[in-house]
Amino acid sequence: MGLARLAALHGVATVHSPSPDVAVPVPGETVVAVLAALGVDASTDEAVQDALTRAESAAASRLLPPTVVVWTTPGNATTGAGTTGTPCGSPVGVLPPALPRALADLPPGTLLRVETEQGDTVEWPSPDAPPPDAPASAAGTPLRASEGRSWPGLPLGVHRLAAVAADGRTAGAVLVVAPREVPQPPPRTHGFLVQLYSLLSGRSWGMGDLGDLAELATWSGRELGAGFVQINPLHAAVPGDPTDPSPYRPSSRRFPDPVHLRVEAVPEYAYVTGQGTARLAALLEQAAGLRAAVLEKDALIDRDAVWRLKREALEIVREVPLGPGRRAAYHHFLAERGQALEDHATWCALAEVHGSRWRDWPPGLRDPRSAETGRARHELIDRVGFHSWLAWLTDEQLAAAGRAARDAGMAVGIVHDLAVGVHPDGADAWAQRDAFAEGMSVGAPPDAFNAHGQDWGLPPWRPDVLAASGYAPYRGLLRGLLTHAGALRIDHVMGLFRLWWVPAGADPTRGTYVRYDAEAMLAVLVLEAHRAGAVVIGEDLGTVEPGVREALHRRGVLGTSVLWFERDWQGTGLPLPPESWREDCVATATTHDLPSTAARLTGGHVELRHRLGLLGRPLEEELREESAEVAEWLATLTRLGLLPPDGGDEEERIRAVHRFLLRTPARMIGVWLPDAVGDRRPQNLPGTWDQYPNWRLPVADADGRPMTLEELAASPRLHRLMSVLRPSVTD
């Protein structure tokens, strides 16, 4: 009983419900291990009682929680700016209908002071009664308690709140003042979903790059009326031999990977002279060989080989001095990114010397703030500078891709992707070690799709450290990602509410849920998206806790709806009629983790899994079930008049699927780019590692022949599909 109470006080579940009528107890040793990762000793009955006494005492005496959230009401007032985007004097609501509970419950006579991030100070007496006069800097007057309490006018932002109770107790908190919801997309827009590395043009160095992204955005926006391009995470990878190719297990989510650079687009490239010119020519020839191997010889995308060539080329380009304007821009970037960039570049430099597993480094270097690390940073100053310069160049090309999308008339623009976590050996886990739960990994409990549960090998953020810091790591992460994004997709968005923690060495079935302050997490997300003017999309597929989609909907966060999962699960089990789909979503036929539409329609994905030994039942049984499911969808498409009575050919069926998506009220319609040319191969096959070339395949046609961006743009099949979404597009 004591352990359960202690766990509840720290947001640790002692039971979980895989379905509404099932309750599964969490093993006691799991609860003890998770509490230990949160800094709470529960190893004995005495330790539990001692920790429980301290926790309950702290809760009873606490004036304020670490973070307080205030949601504004649209249209109530006009106020000053946030720090990064809302111009002064722009209308934003700032007067919520009532105080947050954390303040409404303060003892009578408590004095409050807010120091805003803009440098102003607002003071007022206890919220239990109005002051004689409203503070001069407030935009509104607090109401009497009998009328309902209100909040003084405050700008949007992350402020410091201080409270002094009449009995002398004091407390401080971070105050997040956020708008009610994130920016919204237009009523209807369509665009492509693509894994950038898989999109090679005739200028790529063996994998797709940011130059290709800008080309895709410009072409699809201007020629196809596309409103967005959604890509995989571009986060920095952990270097290795070979590097983990998954974009969802990055070294850092705070900085992009320079492997995505278009080297020739770096301005200083044009000014290389002397021997450097010949060296670059030789590297270009080798890059052409990598490209030809992928496009013409069935070679897999080799990220490490691409980076070796690009790194050597960039070392040459770096010898060209920056002009005064470029130098000023670079120094501004360094100052703006500050400690975060210095830490990232230092880790990259140290990894070149000691390898990428920082836990194996000399003890003093495992701490980014140690004297030993400081000395090493000084000794490696040139390499630290090199990696800082790479981050700047990549940021510039990300900005250029975003501008290309806007200039092409895209209503949303580039949709960037935020992975659910980072690699335990990477730069973020080193630089922000205290923010991550040691000895824990994020995963998923057993469900209908995986009876064994999942362990993703990603250390989770500690909710207590996040709250105590005012969510500073999370805020910094979002601000960096949103700088050049028209929208942000959040992988496993349910993680804003709770995550499945698995102790190191334990089976994934023996994990438990740890809860986060979802209101604070959402407030920070909404605030940063508002400042950037960016749409937010949550990947809410799979098991979703009751209330999560409703909470996301209230904040304007779009969901993700995939055709094959949209059925009347509470009734007939048949395909959900298009008019019954939700409006606030991105509707797609498939994703990077699922079979292409052509493979789904033909059953090719079942045969692939059979060849790899991944089926749990006989092939014939799996094929019968898959065939029945596809037949139900085809019958639905025919009944709606989207498919001819004879069923049509494969290409016609794929067009019918997208006609169906257009019948739904979904705000955004996503077309998986490989679907447009009949590609049958998934980019990632969950449950495999070296059995299948995950994250290493180029976009290919129906015969498996890789296609360049130029060939995609000229593809009659692609244009026939896109004419469904924009009738003016013809082949």
Side-chain angles (χ1 to χ4, degrees):
M1 191 66 170
L3 181 62
R5 287 167 55 203
L6 182 63
L9 286 172
H10 291 86
V12 179
T14 54
V15 63
H16 71 96
S17 300
S19 60
D21 56 344
V22 176
V24 179
V26 175
E29 60 268 25
T30 296
V31 177
V32 171
V34 170
L35 285 171
L38 294 171
V40 179
D41 182 7
S43 58
T44 65
D45 291 343
E46 293 77 10
V48 168
Q49 189 56 51
D50 186 48
L52 186 58
T53 299
R54 289 197 305 272
E56 291 179 335
S57 175
S61 62
R62 184 179 64 196
L63 279 178
L64 294 171
T67 300
V68 176
V69 170
V70 171
W71 299 100
T72 64
T73 299
N76 281 4
T78 298
T79 189
T83 58
T84 61
T86 306
C88 281
S90 64
V92 294
V94 294
L95 298 181
L99 285 169
R101 180 177 297 277
L103 300 183
D105 292 341
L106 284 171
T110 301
L111 300 178
L112 300 174
R113 178 190 299 110
V114 174
E115 294 182 2
T116 72
E117 65 177 34
Q118 293 80 12
D120 298 323
T121 299
V122 179
E123 298 182 350
W124 72 102
S126 170
D128 61 291
D133 299 295
S137 57
T141 303
L143 302 174
R144 294 183 180 277
S146 60
E147 299 171 294
R149 301 163 183 167
S150 73
W151 185 262
L154 288 171
L156 298 175
V158 181
H159 316 304
R160 293 298 309 179
L161 172 65
V164 180
D167 60 9
R169 286 181 296 158
T170 62
V174 171
L175 174 66
V176 180
V177 181
R180 283 290 179 179
E181 63 177 26
V182 300
Q184 295 297 292
R188 170 56 64 86
T189 186
H190 69 272
F192 285 122
L193 318 177
V194 65
Q195 300 281 290
L196 180 58
Y197 60 82
S198 72
L199 182 71
L200 283 73
S201 71
R203 298 177 180 175
S204 305
W205 287 32
M207 62 180 282
D209 60 34
L210 290 168
D212 297 321
L213 176 60
E215 288 281 358
L216 175 65
T218 299
W219 163 69
S220 62
R222 294 184 184 277
E223 297 297 322
L224 306 179
F228 64 92
V229 172
Q230 179 178 307
I231 56 175
N232 55 284
L234 303 184
H235 308 322
V238 178
D241 188 20
T243 297
D244 185 341
S246 172
Y248 292 93
R249 281 174 56 82
S251 169
S252 174
R253 296 185 295 176
R254 300 188 293 174
F255 294 95
D257 198 310
V259 75
H260 300 109
L261 282 169
R262 171 69 62 84
V263 176
E264 301 93 316
V266 177
E268 286 71 35
Y269 179 92
Y271 300 100
V272 173
T273 58
Q275 292 184 347
T277 304
R279 291 164 61 198
L280 284 178
L283 291 170
L284 279 173
E285 186 175 348
Q286 293 178 61
L290 285 180
R291 180 174 63 246
V294 172
L295 295 174
E296 302 168 14
K297 301 176 182 178
D298 292 326
L300 298 176
I301 292 169
D302 188 340
R303 181 193 188 104
D304 295 323
V306 172
W307 177 234
R308 280 192 291 271
L309 295 182
K310 288 191 176 183
R311 181 178 57 198
E312 187 174 345
L314 290 163
E315 296 275 13
I316 297 169
V317 173
R318 190 176 179 232
E319 295 174 7
V320 177
L322 296 175
R326 294 272 292 163
R327 186 183 305 112
Y330 176 46
H331 288 164
H332 177 77
F333 178 79
L334 292 177
E336 185 180 58
R337 296 304 175 97
Q339 187 69 58
L341 176 57
E342 184 174 282
D343 286 344
H344 177 71
T346 299
W347 183 90
C348 292
L350 288 170
E352 290 179 338
V353 177
H354 300 286
S356 60
R357 293 178 58 86
W358 60 266
R359 287 177 174 82
D360 294 339
W361 293 354
L365 299 181
R366 299 171 197 170
D367 179 359
R369 304 291 169 257
S370 71
E372 292 89 340
T373 298
R375 285 193 295 271
R377 183 183 296 115
H378 178 73
E379 293 166 359
L380 298 170
I381 191 65
D382 182 67
R383 300 310 298 169
V384 172
F386 177 65
H387 291 288
S388 298
W389 177 72
L390 292 178
W392 173 56
L393 295 182
T394 313
D395 185 78
E396 285 196 317
Q397 293 194 12
L398 283 169
R403 285 193 301 272
R406 292 192 298 273
D407 292 347
M410 285 191 163
V412 176
I414 307 299
V415 182
H416 288 275
D417 199 351
L418 171 60
V420 71
V422 295
H423 198 288
D425 294 332
D428 284 1
W430 174 76
Q432 299 177 319
R433 183 173 180 176
D434 292 344
F436 291 96
E438 190 72 21
M440 293 289 145
S441 176
V442 175
D447 56 26
F449 300 99
N450 192 324
H452 302 291
Q454 301 175 58
D455 182 347
W456 302 330
L458 309 171
W461 264 334
R462 285 182 53 165
D464 56 331
V465 173
L466 284 181
S469 70
Y471 295 85
Y474 179 50
R475 286 189 278 120
L477 170 62
L478 290 176
R479 189 166 298 185
L481 284 169
L482 288 164
T483 299
H484 305 304
L488 180 66
R489 173 191 179 271
I490 300 179
D491 191 44
H492 194 70
V493 72
M494 297 81 79
L496 299 181
F497 297 77
R498 64 179 186 176
L499 281 171
W500 184 257
W501 288 24
V502 181
D507 190 274
T509 60
R510 300 182 71 80
T512 189
Y513 280 114
V514 176
R515 192 161 294 282
Y516 294 75
D517 184 342
E519 183 177 43
M521 298 285 276
L522 285 171
V524 170
L525 173 63
V526 172
L527 174 63
E528 295 300 336
H530 169 82
R531 287 170 155 168
V535 174
V536 178
I537 302 160
E539 187 268 302
D540 57 351
L541 303 175
T543 302
V544 183
E545 182 185 13
V548 167
R549 287 196 174 108
E550 292 78 7
L552 294 171
H553 172 75
R554 285 196 299 273
R555 301 304 166 205
V557 177
L558 304 185
T560 302
S561 293
V562 178
L563 182 89
W564 308 98
F565 298 157
E566 294 297 317
R567 289 176 168 269
D568 180 12
W569 298 111
Q570 305 303 318
T572 64
L574 295 173
L576 197 65
E579 64 273 11
S580 298
W581 284 41
R582 53 182 169 167
E583 177 182 356
D584 56 330
C585 75
V586 177
T588 71
T590 189
T591 74
H592 59 267
D593 281 333
L594 296 172
S596 70
T597 305
R600 176 79 71 168
L601 291 171
T602 61
H605 70 106
V606 178
E607 294 172 353
L608 172 62
R609 293 181 66 83
H610 171 67
R611 290 197 299 273
L612 296 175
L614 298 176
L615 295 183
R617 295 179 297 174
L619 174 62
E620 295 74 16
E621 187 177 337
E622 294 273 1
L623 285 173
R624 277 197 305 273
E625 183 175 302
E626 184 68 18
S627 178
E629 182 178 349
V630 169
E632 287 177 341
W633 275 106
L634 294 178
T636 297
L637 297 175
T638 302
R639 185 173 65 253
L640 293 173
L642 304 175
L643 191 64
D646 64 3
D649 60 15
E650 175 188 297
E651 191 179 340
E652 181 59 35
R653 291 178 176 187
I654 293 175
R655 289 200 295 270
V657 163
H658 289 84
R659 292 189 188 101
F660 180 94
L661 295 179
L662 284 175
R663 289 275 187 97
T664 73
R667 301 286 290 274
M668 298 171 68
I669 306 296
V671 179
W672 177 236
L673 183 58
D675 268 354
V677 290
D679 197 344
R680 282 166 161 68
R681 306 172 304 174
Q683 282 295 314
N684 178 49
L685 191 59
T688 64
W689 175 243
D690 56 0
Q691 307 99 311
Y692 185 81
N694 294 323
W695 318 112
R696 289 173 288 172
L697 293 172
V699 176
D701 65 14
D703 296 321
R705 183 185 67 84
M707 299 182 70
T708 64
L709 173 57
E710 293 83 356
E711 290 172 324
L712 285 163
S715 166
R717 177 166 178 161
L718 180 147
H719 282 267
R720 286 192 291 270
L721 174 60
M722 297 312 293
S723 69
V724 169
L725 290 99
R726 190 187 189 198
S728 60
V729 175
T730 65
D731 59 339

